[in-house]
Amino acid sequence: MNTTIYSIACTQLHSLMAGLKLATAKPNANLPVLEEVQLTVDGERVTGVATDRYRLFMDSREVALEQSPEEGEAATVFTLPASAADDFKRLGFSKSHERARVEVSADEVVVATASARLSYPPVGAEYPRVGALMVKALGAVAEGKAVEVPTQYNVDYLGDFAKVRRAAGIPTNTPLRMHQIPAGAGSFQLIVTFPGTDFWALLMGVRHPEGDANHSSAVEALERANETAKALASA
């Protein structure tokens, strides 16, 4: 059996899958592939992509090739179910100092440590070709076609709007709308509303200069994402 084996820090595998799980679809008999996270290995990075056809998330971590198959090329694209994030949490990956072995073959994907072995079946359906979508979106940023707002928001505050929706009995299919308004001196604020309700909120961002570390690292992250998207689109 041709098997490719990668190793990755347990903490890194858990954080990668836990973050991407948020963009996967709920169990759906008609579209089971959308319950999966697609993982692509390129050199020493593994990049995960997840989508539910409404959102598209991408993230990457360091990975090492431990074993190539005796015949043929190493398997560089595989999937894991979004529920694997829950398995990794249950097994304590988020606090482990171990490295996990990810064994990829035609029959299964196995994630193993010294004390655990998890086996996941391969998904036969073709994963949505999301690379082209990312190239278009990230390319617009790279070409200066998107508005760069040097403002940062607390992600916990953004997540609280889901709690507001549930507490207020707002239907789950009601979208969250964000309206950007000028706030003087080139800065912006966001007005948040749920259409059809009386709810609204003002997000007061914290301005930071373009030359600081936050701005520079954000630009670098977009550049890396754009290069990865191009590679996925041409795969």
Side-chain angles (χ1 to χ4, degrees):
M1 179 185 298
N2 291 337
T3 302
T4 302
I5 300 178
Y6 298 101
S7 70
I8 181 173
C10 288
T11 53
Q12 295 296 301
L13 180 57
H14 172 261
S15 63
L16 175 66
M17 290 294 296
L20 294 174
K21 178 188 175 184
L22 299 173
T24 56
K26 295 180 179 179
N28 185 325
N30 296 321
L31 291 170
V33 71
L34 296 184
E35 301 169 42
E36 304 286 316
V37 174
Q38 183 191 62
L39 298 161
T40 302
V41 180
D42 180 14
E44 298 179 349
R45 304 290 295 180
V46 57
T47 298
V49 176
T51 182
D52 57 3
R53 296 191 300 178
Y54 300 99
R55 296 169 296 177
L56 179 60
F57 285 11
M58 180 175 72
D59 200 359
S60 64
R61 296 290 189 277
E62 291 185 1
V63 70
L65 176 64
E66 298 291 339
Q67 176 183 307
S68 294
E70 296 179 0
E71 299 178 4
E73 298 181 356
T76 57
V77 181
F78 56 98
T79 61
L80 282 174
S83 59
D86 300 325
D87 297 334
F88 302 155
K89 180 179 180 180
R90 173 173 51 84
L91 292 172
F93 277 29
S94 62
K95 300 178 181 179
S96 175
H97 297 293
E98 284 189 82
R99 292 184 67 84
R101 286 163 51 95
V102 181
E103 304 173 11
V104 185
S105 69
D107 298 322
E108 63 179 348
V109 177
V110 173
V111 178
T113 64
S115 58
R117 184 183 187 278
L118 301 166
S119 175
Y120 303 100
V123 175
E126 183 178 354
Y127 197 82
R129 298 186 64 82
V130 296
L133 292 175
M134 288 188 288
V135 166
K136 183 177 180 180
L138 293 168
V141 175
E143 295 168 10
K145 296 179 181 178
V147 176
E148 174 69 20
V149 182
T151 304
Q152 53 194 14
Y153 295 93
N154 186 313
V155 294
D156 290 335
Y157 292 168
L158 295 177
D160 281 342
F161 289 117
K163 300 176 183 177
V164 169
R165 189 198 66 204
R166 289 193 296 269
I170 300 172
T172 57
N173 62 347
T174 301
L176 180 73
R177 299 196 62 184
M178 306 186 82
H179 316 263
Q180 188 182 83
I181 58 174
S187 63
F188 298 87
Q189 291 179 330
L190 292 179
I191 296 292
V192 180
T193 63
F194 284 107
T197 75
D198 291 332
F199 175 86
W200 71 276
L202 172 65
L203 290 184
M204 295 173 286
V206 178
R207 181 78 182 268
H208 60 84
E210 295 189 1
D212 76 356
N214 284 326
H215 178 80
S216 299
S217 61
V219 172
E220 292 171 0
L222 285 171
E223 291 174 348
R224 289 197 302 272
N226 193 32
E227 291 303 313
T228 302
K230 289 178 181 177
L232 290 173
S234 61

